[in-house]
Amino acid sequence: MHSVAAMTLLVGFSTARPLILGFGRRQETDVNVCRPLGVDRCTLAVTDSLISIPTPGKEAGFETNESNGQSVFDSGCFRKTSRSGVEPLGAGNGFGGPINVDGFGGPIDFFAQTIGPSGISGIKFNFLGKEFTDCDCQDDSSGLTGKTACRCEFDCPPGPASGFASGNCGIHVTQFQKPDPSKDNYKLDIKLFDAIQTPIGDSAGPQAAPANGGVDVTSKLPNVMVVTAQNIDEDPIKFAFGGETFDSNAAQCSVGRYDNGKREMDCGFTC
C-alpha cells in the first residue's frame, strides 16, 4: 500500500523591508517544491521515497514503506491538489491515471515509465489536448532515504486568471500627508502586483483621497481594489477587494513611519 508523500509548500510575506515591496516568496531548494515559472505556467510535482517507520517488536526496530505522490500547483505556486500513490498499469507497463484538479476544466492524464526510490523516469502527461514532458528530475536533498523528485512545467488552463499569476498578490501604497490638515486631503499612490511580483495595475500617480472616500484601482485582476484613507495620520488605510476587506493594521501588512511627508506600506491579499 502507498502512504501519503511528504510535500511542503512555503509561501509568505516578508515584513523586514517596509519601504519597498514587502511580499517576498520563501524559496526551497528541493526540486519537488514549486517555484514560480511565470504567468500561465503551472507545475506538476512527483515524488517517491522510502520512509522508515518505527515498529515495536520488530528485530530491527522499524520497517520501510514506499511512498509516492503527485501535487499540482498554479502559476503563483499555490497547491491546487495532491494525491498519494499512483498504481502500476501492469508488469513493464509503467504507472498512470488521471489527476483531477478543481477549476482546471479537465483531468491531467498522467503516465510514468518508472516510479521508485531508485528513480523516476519517462514522465509524460496530457492536459486539455496537449502533451507535456518537460520535467526536471533529480535526487532530492530532504534527507529521506532514497527520495527522488521531479518538477514538471505545463500550460495552466485558460480562465479569468489569465494575464496574471494568481495566489497571494500584493499592493504597495504611498500615503502623502495633508499639507494643511484643516482643508487638504491625503494623496495615495497605489501599485498592484501579482503572485510573482509582476506589476499588474496602478493609480496612475498620486490621487486625492478624501477622508473615507476611497480610490478605485483597476488592473488585470477581475475585481477593483478600493483603497480608503481616513481622517488623521495615525488612522490605518482600508482595503476592499471582491469580498475581502482589511486595513493596514492587519498582520498581512507592513507599514513604515512617516518620513519627509509620506509613509510607505505593503500588504498581501488573495487574488
Side-chain angles (χ1 to χ4, degrees), residues 27-104:
Q27 295 292 317
E28 298 296 317
T29 56
D30 291 343
V31 71
N32 65 297
V33 176
C34 178
R35 298 179 181 89
L37 299 169
V39 172
D40 297 333
R41 300 299 286 171
C42 288
T43 301
L44 170 65
V46 184
T47 58
D48 195 284
S49 62
L50 292 177
I51 300 177
S52 296
I53 303 173
T55 306
K58 291 184 72 70
E59 182 177 347
F62 65 88
E63 62 180 357
T64 301
N65 283 4
E66 183 184 351
S67 170
N68 75 67
Q70 303 85 49
S71 290
V72 177
F73 301 88
D74 67 14
S75 59
C77 275
F78 276 67
R79 184 158 52 194
K80 303 293 291 184
T81 192
S82 62
R83 71 175 186 181
S84 59
V86 58
E87 297 300 324
L89 299 174
N93 293 324
F95 301 77
I99 303 173
N100 296 303
V101 187
D102 289 343
F104 265 35

Side-chain angles (χ1 to χ4, degrees), residues 243-254:
E244 182 180 4
T245 59
F246 59 96
D247 65 38
S248 57
N249 285 340
Q252 68 210 65
C253 295
S254 173

Side-chain angles (χ1 to χ4, degrees), residues 128-243:
L128 298 181
K130 187 174 180 180
E131 183 174 277
F132 298 91
T133 59
D134 184 12
C135 297
D136 175 16
C137 299
Q138 65 184 51
D139 291 339
D140 188 86
S141 59
S142 65
L144 291 177
T145 303
K147 184 168 183 177
T148 58
C150 295
R151 189 180 73 253
C152 307
E153 180 179 351
F154 67 101
D155 295 335
C156 295
S162 181
F164 71 94
S166 62
N168 203 19
C169 286
I171 182 168
H172 179 85
V173 178
T174 303
Q175 181 181 11
F176 297 89
Q177 290 176 295
K178 302 173 183 179
D180 183 347
S182 67
K183 63 176 183 177
D184 294 324
N185 295 316
Y186 290 111
K187 287 187 176 181
L188 301 178
D189 191 3
I190 305 160
K191 296 178 174 62
L192 293 170
F193 301 84
D194 69 8
I196 58 173
Q197 302 185 20
T198 301
I200 53 173
D202 58 58
S203 60
Q207 301 294 321
N212 300 305
V215 175
D216 294 351
V217 183
T218 58
S219 66
K220 293 182 179 180
L221 301 174
N223 297 308
V224 174
M225 171 64 76
V226 182
V227 184
T228 304
Q230 299 190 72
N231 294 293
I232 61 175
D233 288 355
E234 290 74 20
D235 287 335
I237 296 293
K238 295 181 178 180
F239 301 91
F241 177 76

